[in-house]
Amino acid sequence: MTHAVKYHPGMMLMEQYVEGTLAPDVALAVATHIDLCPHCQRLCQDIHNDQASSLAADDAPVMADDFAALFSAITAEPQLEKPRKTQQRDAVTVNINGREFRVPRALSRLANQHGKWLQLGGVATAKLPAGDKMHVSLLYIDKGTEIPNHTHLGLEMTLVLSGTICDENGEYGAGDLLINTPADTHTPHTRADEDCLCLSVLSAPLKFNKGLTRLLNPLQQFFY
Amino acid sequence: MTISAEPHIRSGQWEDSLNFVALNADKAAYAELFNYFAPRLKAFGMKMFGNEQQALEMVQDTMLNVWKKARLFDASRGCASTWIFTIARNVRFDMLRKKQSRKDDISADDLWADGDYPELEESSSDQWETMLLSEKLAPYFDALPIAQRLVMQKVYLEEKSHQEVAEELDIPLGTVKSRIRLALDRLREALDDTRS
Ligand SMILES: [Zn+2]
Ligand SMILES: [Zn+2]
């Protein structure tokens, strides 16, 4: 990989992700980031070891229970055979605008079931069957395209899967995770010669700031 | 040191037990694992679910998976306690999802890769070792989680080897290394926050 990932989820999100206490849709963005980021792959392993040691510690709290019946029931069960070869999941691709993109492991099952692409100008979105509280979708932005200046009414997580997104705060390449909150306003755009595919996780619609609000209203529904 | 009523745990003991379970369906080896982990998992489940019924369901599914999947355990990818912890975490996650009964929804299999990432070589933390000596980091040192602070203290202040610390604290060597890296990452984050 030529591009080094620069924007990571941060320690608190990583710990909750490993613990399994993060909201599933947010955890999906973190998992996809980890697939693309060797640094966080190791961090993740470190947190696993750390949390597991607390569970296995000598002085961990212990409950007195009679587990004899459970022990007999379990050991009466047949064991699973070791698979000959660890099966690799087939590479999953998504197609949009005549382009084919390979998606990371964490998204492969869900990306296979994406909803139909809705296209508006140079932007297209397809919903993933993932969200309960959040809105989870693939977001495609054609080259040389700008998403109008907007504020966020909730949490916006954008994970770049391919290409580059630029905004007032910086440039984000494959693997980079952008997190925006109601305190942030920005105008994301792609480069003139490169399109971009992202995973987008939104907890609330975007609020567009400029231009003719009436014209932008449908746009707001489009993103959410 | 903590005083424990249980016999001393030898390092590598749980990995050996799992291998016996995998090779011979060895019930005595499984009993050792079961007697140690089932009560701990129950306590962990009580903390996560807050009720006994779900905690017990988690113990049951987790320990069943430990028995059934023992042949899938690969000690080169991490120690036995980490493997059991991730099974429990996944069981718990899918239990919570099942309640909402949406079959296409995000599952534990989507979120956690089960260790199939390539190994990374050790990166040197030399620059951090000198940083650690500077007083700038001292205030953040106290904010580290206690398990990480303890390891850092033994390695950097008492100048013990990683192996010595693992034996003294009764934790796997890999966990000592993990805790050092986590502590360094936390200190780096704290320092970055003061810069920006
Ligand atoms: Zn990362
Ligand atoms: Zn935004």
Side-chain angles (χ1 to χ4, degrees), chain A residues 9-12 15-29 31 34-36 38-39 41-65 67-68 70-71 73-83 86 88-89 105-110 113 129-132 136, chain B residues 2 4 6 9 21-22 25 27 30-31 34 36-44 46 48 52 56 59-60 63-64 67-72 77 79 81-82 84-86 89 92-93 97 100 102-107 109-113 116-118 120-123 147-148 170-172 174-175 177-179 181-182 185-186 188-189:
Chain A
M11 191 65 96
M12 216 210 301
E15 281 175 346
Q16 291 173 1
Y17 161 78
V18 171
E19 200 174 50
T21 50
L22 208 54
D25 0 44
V26 176
L28 185 67
I34 293 169
D35 282 343
L36 297 169
H39 170 81
Q41 285 166 21
R42 180 154 84 187
L43 180 59
C44 186
Q45 191 56 51
D46 286 341
I47 298 172
H48 267 115
N49 285 338
D50 186 42
Q51 292 187 1
S53 298
S54 320
L55 174 72
D58 248 352
D59 54 357
V62 167
M63 317 279 268
D65 270 282
F67 283 123
L70 179 58
F71 181 86
I74 288 177
T75 49
E77 291 278 326
Q79 291 177 294
L80 299 177
E81 288 303 319
K82 189 189 173 92
T86 43
Q88 290 288 17
R89 290 199 203 191
R105 179 208 65 83
L107 289 182
S108 54
R109 192 180 64 86
L110 296 164
Q113 308 170 49
D132 37 13
V136 180
Chain B
T2 47
S4 167
E6 287 162 285
I9 311 297
V21 174
K27 287 190 189 178
Y30 182 68
F34 189 97
Y36 191 80
F37 283 101
R40 284 174 168 76
L41 286 167
K42 165 98 184 284
F44 174 67
M46 287 299 288
M48 300 308 269
E52 185 163 18
L56 281 172
V59 176
Q60 187 178 322
M63 290 313 300
L64 178 62
W67 171 256
K68 290 183 94 158
K69 295 182 176 173
R71 289 171 196 165
L72 277 56
R77 283 175 173 180
C79 56
S81 58
T82 305
I84 294 171
F85 167 80
T86 57
R89 189 264 324 272
R92 177 181 153 270
F93 182 87
R97 302 306 283 167
Q100 298 162 21
R102 308 157 70 124
K103 68 178 192 328
D104 292 338
D105 209 344
I106 299 169
S107 69
D109 275 352
D110 296 316
L111 293 184
W112 294 288
D116 38 359
Y117 297 118
L120 291 165
E121 66 263 38
E122 286 289 317
S123 74
Q148 291 169 23
D170 239 344
I171 52 178
T175 301
K177 292 180 192 292
S178 288
R179 287 191 176 155
R181 283 197 295 259
L182 287 172
D185 260 16
R186 269 179 185 276
R188 177 169 23 218
E189 228 177 48

Side-chain angles (χ1 to χ4, degrees), chain A residues 5 7-9 33-34 37-41 175:
Chain A
V5 180
Y7 298 89
H8 307 276
H33 169 85
I34 293 169
C37 177
H39 170 81
C40 287
Q41 285 166 21

Side-chain angles (χ1 to χ4, degrees), chain B residues 86-100:
Chain B
T86 57
I87 291 175
R89 189 264 324 272
N90 292 12
V91 163
R92 177 181 153 270
F93 182 87
D94 284 340
M95 274 172 67
L96 290 173
R97 302 306 283 167
K98 227 179 289 165
K99 257 195 337 209
Q100 298 162 21

Side-chain angles (χ1 to χ4, degrees), chain A residues 147 150-152 156 158 167 178 180 184-188 202 206:
Chain A
I147 293 178
H150 62 271
T151 310
H152 310 88
E156 178 195 66
T158 308
D167 73 4
L178 293 77
N180 285 297
D184 302 306
T185 295
H186 67 159
T187 318
L202 285 172
L206 306 179

Side-chain angles (χ1 to χ4, degrees), chain A residues 199-210:
Chain A
L199 171 71
S200 163
V201 178
L202 285 172
S203 74
L206 306 179
K207 181 171 165 261
F208 292 96
N209 297 321
K210 294 182 183 154

